[in-house]
């Protein structure tokens, strides 16, 4: 008990940091990361909830959805209803939704959430249902923009009868729509630069990039990699780019690791966490030490902390993206066309763990 009292404040600060980054945390994940029992984590959450810093949910905690300055806090009265259509309700998107809901509760907004499936036709169906039912005054959307019909989809969105803000999406160029399309997203290109700079600080001079196939985030990272490869400061550092599909592709990852050795690559940036964890597991199987022979930085930071060693990761500001999207929509609904269009990039952060902190060349 003495140890728990001694380290309780530090543990709770780390819990709050995880919560600010993700929007939601799970008891079992925190217990494993902190090296304590689940009961201890629940006590920490309860203590923070009493101070109004978190909201308890089954199995974990979320950001508070209202001010706790009063003993019986009340949600702001509803002024607007906003539709939110996201391509998935798991992995990347729950923190964004949690951030949106937290801002909505504070601003008097009701959110009608719909899940799509990375399918443009399903995107249209879900959006049309919200608009035709006349349930919403605005829309937060994350449509699929990777296909040849991206411009057509954007033109259709721009002609909707209610204002829209894209979430974690950005048009490739200006489009002549009825309304200027606004957006807010994580600056993934900056996230890649942060990862490269961190590895260079650790004296790595030959770095590889591994991307998940078909991910919108991967597209931004690939473009940033190409740009960095022509930058005199990093052009000789970035020496390999590979794309993989399923995280458990043994043959692909084993070939990748052998290529790292042949190319004298000493560090990898891997998107996303499951792929990074798979790479780390195959490193252990092949006798490649982390970070001694190969450093790893993951991109996303959903489950990177569960690896052994825990993986350094770039963390997109997902909950803040959701919060800001709601705030921008309320501003648009209040100010109308008087407010200029906003297009906002939010900077990721680097969470340094054991997978990248020491350097020794591959033998």
């Amino acid at each position: 008990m003495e140890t728990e009292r001694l380290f309780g404040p530090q543990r709770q600060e780390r819990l709050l940091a995880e919560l600010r980054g993700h929007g939601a945390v799970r008891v079992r994940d925190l217990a494993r990361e902190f090296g304590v029992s689940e009961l201890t984590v629940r006590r920490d959450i309860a203590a923070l909830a009493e101070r109004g810093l978190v909201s308890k949910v089954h199995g974990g905690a979320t950001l508070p959805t209202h001010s706790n300055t009063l003993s019986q806090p009340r949600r702001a009265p509803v002024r607007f209803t906003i539709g939110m259509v996201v391509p998935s309700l798991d992995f990347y998107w729950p923190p964004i939704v949690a951030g949106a809901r937290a801002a909505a509760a504070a601003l008097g907004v009701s959110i009608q959430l719909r899940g799509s499936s990375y399918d443009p036709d399903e995107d249209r169906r879900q959006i049309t249902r919200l608009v035709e039912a006349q349930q919403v005054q605005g829309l937060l959307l994350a449509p699929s923009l990777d296909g040849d019909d991206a411009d057509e989809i954007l033109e259709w969105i721009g002609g909707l009868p209610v204002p829209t803000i894209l979430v974690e999406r950005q048009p490739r160029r200006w489009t002549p729509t009825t309304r200027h399309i606004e957006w807010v997203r994580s600056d993934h290109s900056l996230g890649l630069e942060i990862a490269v700079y961190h590895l260079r600080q650790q004296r790595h001079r030959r770095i590889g990039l591994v991307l998940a196939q078909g991910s919108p985030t991967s597209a931004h990272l690939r473009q940033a990699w190409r740009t960095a490869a022509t930058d005199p400061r990093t052009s000789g550092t970035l020496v390999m780019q590979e794309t993989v599909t399923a995280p458990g592709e043994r043959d692909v990852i084993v070939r990748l690791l052998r290529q790292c050795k042949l190319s004298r690559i000493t560090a990898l940036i891997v998107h996303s966490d499951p792929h990074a964890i798979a790479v780390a597991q195959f490193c252990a199987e092949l006798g490649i030490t982390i970070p001694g022979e190969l450093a790893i930085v993951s991109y996303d930071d959903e489950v990177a902390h569960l690896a052994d060693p825990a993986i350094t990761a770039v963390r997109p500001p997902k909950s803040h993206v959701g919060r800001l999207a709601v705030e921008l929509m309320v501003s648009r609904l209040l100010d109308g066309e008087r407010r200029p269009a906003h297009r906002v990039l939010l900077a990721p952060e680097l969470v340094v763990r054991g997978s990248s902190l020491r350097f020794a060349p591959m033998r």
Side-chain angles (χ1 to χ4, degrees):
M1 293 297 295
E2 189 66 31
T3 301
E4 182 177 331
R5 285 196 298 270
L6 178 63
F7 294 104
Q10 294 95 328
R11 197 169 53 245
Q12 290 170 19
E13 280 299 314
R14 288 185 60 187
L15 189 155
L16 287 172
E18 291 291 322
L19 196 55
R20 285 191 290 269
H22 291 287
V25 294
R26 291 180 291 194
V27 168
R28 66 174 180 269
D29 292 344
L30 292 176
R32 183 180 302 181
E33 181 174 1
F34 297 166
V36 297
S37 69
E38 292 187 10
L39 177 60
T40 297
V41 175
R42 290 193 185 95
R43 287 173 176 168
D44 288 336
I45 290 173
L48 292 170
E50 288 180 2
R51 295 161 56 192
L53 299 177
V54 306
S55 293
K56 291 192 294 183
V57 297
H58 179 69
T62 65
L63 291 169
T65 57
H66 44 58
S67 171
N68 283 283
T69 55
L70 301 176
S71 59
Q72 296 294 329
R74 290 181 294 179
R75 180 188 175 110
V78 174
R79 295 185 291 173
F80 303 113
T81 299
I82 295 173
M84 187 173 190
V85 181
V86 297
S88 170
L89 295 176
D90 57 12
F91 201 61
Y92 191 94
W93 292 93
I96 294 175
V97 173
R101 284 178 166 164
L107 294 172
V109 171
S110 173
I111 291 183
Q112 297 288 324
L113 178 65
R114 299 287 185 272
S116 185
S117 56
Y118 293 95
D119 178 356
D121 291 337
E122 182 64 11
D123 292 340
R124 287 183 185 243
R125 190 176 77 85
Q126 295 292 349
I127 294 167
T128 300
R129 288 178 59 190
L130 288 170
V131 173
E132 289 184 348
Q134 298 183 336
Q135 296 175 325
V136 298
Q137 288 85 52
L139 290 165
L140 308 180
L141 306 176
S144 297
L145 299 178
D146 297 327
D148 295 334
D149 57 351
D151 289 342
E152 179 185 342
I153 293 170
L154 289 170
E155 186 173 353
W156 178 75
I157 289 173
L160 292 171
V162 297
T164 62
I165 293 176
L166 302 187
V167 180
E168 289 291 19
R169 298 289 186 267
Q170 176 182 346
R172 287 174 291 186
R173 56 183 180 272
W174 179 82
T175 53
T177 57
T178 304
R179 289 189 176 91
H180 291 302
I181 294 180
E182 301 185 282
W183 49 262
V184 54
R185 72 168 178 85
S186 304
D187 190 345
H188 299 303
S189 295
L190 177 60
L192 181 74
E193 292 179 27
I194 291 170
V196 170
Y197 180 76
H198 167 70
L199 291 170
R200 286 180 62 84
Q201 279 189 314
Q202 302 298 313
R203 295 186 292 127
H204 293 279
R205 294 298 179 264
R206 296 184 70 80
I207 302 169
L209 175 68
V210 181
L211 297 174
Q213 189 174 43
S215 165
T217 299
S218 288
H220 291 294
L221 299 179
R222 185 179 295 109
Q223 182 58 49
W225 183 266
R226 291 171 181 164
T227 301
T230 62
D231 188 325
R233 296 170 297 178
T234 53
S235 58
T237 300
L238 314 181
V239 296
M240 182 188 73
Q241 177 189 309
E242 292 285 336
T243 300
V244 298
T245 53
E249 291 179 301
R250 175 186 173 84
D251 292 343
V252 173
I253 294 177
V254 169
R255 176 179 57 81
L256 172 74
L257 292 172
R258 287 173 179 162
Q259 185 177 348
C260 286
K261 188 169 184 178
L262 289 172
S263 302
R264 295 181 290 112
I265 289 170
T266 59
L268 285 178
I269 301 169
V270 185
H271 175 259
S272 59
D273 288 6
H275 293 82
I277 291 174
V279 170
Q281 289 172 343
F282 283 113
C283 281
E285 183 177 318
L286 296 172
I288 300 170
T289 61
I290 301 172
E293 294 177 281
L294 185 69
I296 298 177
V297 174
S298 178
Y299 197 99
D300 260 357
D301 201 30
E302 291 282 350
V303 292
H305 62 285
L306 300 179
D308 185 17
I311 296 177
T312 294
V314 177
R315 176 185 292 171
K318 301 171 192 175
S319 64
H320 298 283
V321 168
R323 282 173 174 263
L324 184 56
V326 170
E327 292 169 1
L328 288 177
M329 179 56 72
V330 170
S331 171
R332 172 61 66 201
L333 292 172
L334 291 174
D335 296 340
E337 297 301 319
R338 292 175 296 173
R339 179 173 70 71
H342 283 45
R343 297 173 175 183
V344 184
L345 290 173
L346 297 181
E349 64 176 317
L350 183 72
V351 182
V352 178
R353 302 187 179 101
S355 70
S356 67
L357 284 181
R358 291 194 305 271
F359 173 76
M362 289 184 82
R363 293 188 294 272

